[in-house]
Each structure stands twice: as C-alpha cells, then as structure tokens.
Amino acid sequence: MTQTPMTGVSSCCCAKAGATVLANLPSPVDGRFELTDHFGRPVTELSFGDRYMLIFFGFSHCQVVCPRELEKLGTAIERLGPLAQRVQPLYITVDPERDDPNTMRAYVARYPGNFMGLTGTPVQVERAKKAFRVFAEPVPDPSAPDGYVVPHTAFAYLMAPGGRYKTHFPDALTVDSVADRLREHLV
C-alpha cells in the first residue's frame, strides 16, 4: 500500500494538516463478473463500454426488498434526465436455479430505469457475489414458492466504466438521495 503525505486535506473528517493519507487503497469490491444477460448473451463488467453500472443483487421471488429497491433505483435513474443515458442498471440474481434469462427479462420489465437482468450458472453467480462481497443464502420457507427464500445484502453499487468501484448506496436512502448522489458521480 502506498502512503502519500498530504497537507491541508479537509475533505476527510479525520484528515488534519500535515497528516498522512493513504492513497490507492484497494477497492472494497472487486467488480468483476461473467454472467448472462436477460437476452441470453454473455456479459462482463467490460460489456457496457463507457457507461457506469448501478448494480443490485436480488431474486425474482423476493417479496419486499427487491421490488422496493428496484422501484427506488429505477426512479432515481429516471430523475437524472439526460444523464441517465450514462448509467446501465443491472439486477444480478442470487437465485440462479429459478432465475433464467427469460424470468429475469420479465421481472425487470416491471420496474423503471431500464434494468438489465443478469443470471448465470451457480458457480458464475457465486463468483459475482464474492466479487461484490454480497451475502445471499437460501433459507427454507414452506410458504414461499419452491419452499425457500434467499435473504441477501441490500446495497446498490455504482461502478465506473470498466468495473471500478465508485460508491455504494444502502437501502435506507431515499429516491432523492440516490438521484443526488448518482448525479454527483456523473457530472
């Protein structure tokens, strides 16, 4: 890890004049994936050219968190106006057993923002979860379809073109907060 001395830094709550600030810290998430989009085409973090990626993990049988977050994130993207063209929202399944490309395409079509649904083999999805440090494990639930649910991490990740981590958005943020924070990174 490289240490760069910086003076007069005021953008960090803990930086003081003359303090040493660590530069080039490793990204908190890897950001790499090899999955299949909702049209059946292979995609990676490099497939979206110069667009930012807003990534959320979930599953199509989710009853509460995913519908709420996809609606919120999609609405935030729409509020960006012309800047929205610079963002590709991605919804990555944590339940590849049930979420094939057709299921993902139908599911994301319900929400604003032009999400692309991504799925893959269980191994590919597991690698993507690991790259983004996402927790998701099936739990038996006799009242759920197929007898299980998949509790999961509820962060949205903003990745720069090429898959570099920029920031993340906890699910507690409002639509306006997400839109404002997205705009800050895009302008």
Side-chain angles (χ1 to χ4, degrees):
M1 191 176 317
T2 305
Q3 288 193 357
T4 305
M6 298 181 74
T7 57
V9 175
S10 62
S11 63
C12 176
C13 63
C14 55
K16 296 181 176 138
T20 299
V21 177
L22 298 177
N24 301 322
L25 291 174
S27 175
V29 298
D30 180 282
R32 290 182 285 182
F33 58 85
E34 292 181 16
L35 296 165
T36 301
D37 74 12
H38 64 222
F39 296 109
R41 301 175 300 208
V43 294
T44 72
E45 71 282 356
L46 301 175
S47 298
F48 303 97
D50 62 352
R51 297 178 82 188
Y52 283 75
M53 294 167 283
L54 182 63
I55 299 174
F56 188 75
F57 285 78
F59 64 113
S60 67
H61 288 77
C62 184
Q63 298 295 308
V64 178
V65 175
C66 295
R68 180 186 68 222
E69 289 304 298
L70 292 175
E71 184 70 34
K72 177 175 70 181
L73 295 170
T75 300
I77 289 169
E78 288 184 341
R79 289 187 183 176
L80 295 175
L83 282 177
Q85 296 174 16
R86 297 188 56 206
V87 180
Q88 175 59 64
L90 302 173
Y91 182 58
I92 300 176
T93 187
V94 295
D95 187 10
E97 298 298 328
R98 293 187 286 196
D99 290 341
D100 62 22
N102 290 332
T103 301
M104 294 298 282
R105 185 170 56 248
Y107 187 73
V108 297
R110 300 184 200 165
Y111 300 99
N114 198 29
F115 274 89
M116 178 175 287
L118 302 183
T119 188
T121 67
V123 169
Q124 289 174 314
V125 169
E126 197 57 41
R127 284 184 191 140
K129 286 171 30 185
K130 184 176 181 182
F132 284 87
R133 302 176 79 176
V134 167
F135 168 82
E137 292 293 329
V139 173
D141 182 344
S143 66
D146 301 319
Y148 71 95
V149 294
V150 188
H152 58 87
T153 303
F155 288 119
Y157 301 90
L158 181 62
M159 308 301 285
R164 265 182 316 106
Y165 172 86
K166 292 300 284 181
T167 192
H168 64 274
F169 306 110
D171 64 338
L173 293 178
T174 65
V175 171
D176 290 333
S177 295
V178 172
D180 290 345
R181 289 182 60 191
L182 282 170
R183 193 173 286 108
E184 288 172 10
H185 286 278
L186 296 172
V187 292

